[in-house]
Amino acid sequence: MASQSETDRWRQQELALTAVEHRLQALGEYLAVYRASYASSGEGRHYARVRMLRQDIGRLRAWWWYLHATRRGASWLPLLHRLVDLLAMFVSPVRRGGRRRHSSGMLRHLTSHSLIERAYAALEEDMQGQLLTVRLAQYQRPTDSRSREISLLQHQLEEVAALRRRGLPEPRRLTAICHILYRVMTVRQWLGLQLPLANQVDR
């Protein structure tokens, strides 16, 4: 039983890492396109949008770092959790519609909880699309291998759905984790130290 529980936990961590990595790639590509499209506009709201995207990427990177550290049992996690316990009570993430108002009055900024939940939801939608494609192919030309693939995808989809529903900490704690590690990563970058996440997206 303990072995199965450990396997399930490892699988959930793998799915979470995959979801965040895919979302980082998508946001990085969107940021590059957005910069190219509005680089010469000179409008303040476009600069604000770029800053927001960079912050979203930074918080996602911080959550990836936390997931990766949890999986390998990093020695600094107990200290982080103590800091989170102290700071979480002062965090007040606004969850109305999953967004909070940006200071420009024109943009909406995702909370950390909504940002990561959307990454998980995007992976779930991607798997739903894969499952639909395989099912259509199986309907047209049934095969045993495709039937096994459908069963595997269905199981993975259930795991991702469970991850999105129950795989996130309480919003205040999640927000504290992301903000603390985001600040640490920013300091590491200023000091010229290697960032904990591979350079998957353009900063």
Side-chain angles (χ1 to χ4, degrees):
M1 182 66 68
S3 178
Q4 182 61 43
S5 176
E6 185 67 25
T7 299
D8 291 343
R9 182 164 55 252
W10 184 88
R11 177 62 182 161
Q12 290 276 296
Q13 292 169 348
E14 282 294 303
L15 287 171
L17 286 165
T18 298
V20 174
E21 287 164 2
H22 287 183
R23 192 62 174 170
L24 279 169
Q25 184 64 35
L27 286 181
E29 292 172 358
Y30 179 71
L31 176 58
V33 171
Y34 193 88
R35 279 173 167 169
S37 301
Y38 297 104
S40 60
S41 67
E43 295 185 27
R45 66 189 181 95
H46 295 312
Y47 291 124
R49 179 60 177 160
V50 168
R51 285 196 301 271
M52 286 172 57
L53 285 169
R54 287 169 59 90
Q55 289 173 5
D56 287 349
I57 289 171
R59 287 182 294 155
L60 276 173
R61 285 186 172 215
W63 184 245
W64 185 97
W65 187 15
Y66 176 76
L67 292 172
H68 184 67
T70 299
R71 185 174 62 169
R72 62 184 177 86
S75 59
W76 49 264
L77 281 174
L79 174 59
L80 173 66
H81 291 154
R82 284 196 291 272
L83 286 174
V84 168
D85 290 339
L86 291 172
L87 297 178
M89 66 183 69
F90 301 108
V91 175
S92 180
V94 179
R95 298 198 62 197
R96 182 187 305 170
R99 292 174 179 266
R100 59 189 176 192
R101 185 176 296 276
H102 187 268
S103 59
S104 69
M106 302 170 64
L107 303 173
R108 297 292 184 273
H109 195 58
L110 285 172
T111 65
S112 294
H113 188 277
S114 296
L115 177 68
I116 296 165
E117 186 179 42
R118 288 191 178 197
Y120 293 176
L123 180 61
E124 184 178 356
E125 292 170 2
D126 182 57
M127 286 187 171
Q128 287 172 340
Q130 294 178 43
L131 182 59
L132 177 60
T133 300
V134 177
R135 277 177 170 167
L136 287 173
Q138 178 72 346
Y139 176 77
Q140 295 170 352
R141 184 177 298 176
T143 66
D144 291 340
S145 63
R146 200 173 284 130
S147 179
R148 289 191 295 271
E149 185 178 0
I150 288 173
S151 297
L152 177 60
L153 282 171
Q154 287 176 328
H155 180 64
Q156 290 176 337
L157 187 57
E158 291 171 359
E159 288 181 318
V160 175
L163 176 67
R164 187 161 68 92
R165 291 193 306 268
R166 303 188 297 272
L168 291 175
E170 189 271 333
R172 290 176 185 270
R173 291 185 59 82
L174 188 150
T175 299
I177 289 169
C178 288
H179 281 245
I180 290 170
L181 293 184
Y182 181 31
R183 296 296 183 271
V184 171
M185 292 174 72
T186 300
V187 171
R188 288 172 66 105
Q189 190 173 29
W190 285 345
L191 296 175
L193 301 176
Q194 182 180 1
L195 291 176
L197 179 58
N199 189 25
Q200 297 178 2
V201 292
D202 174 40
R203 288 180 62 86

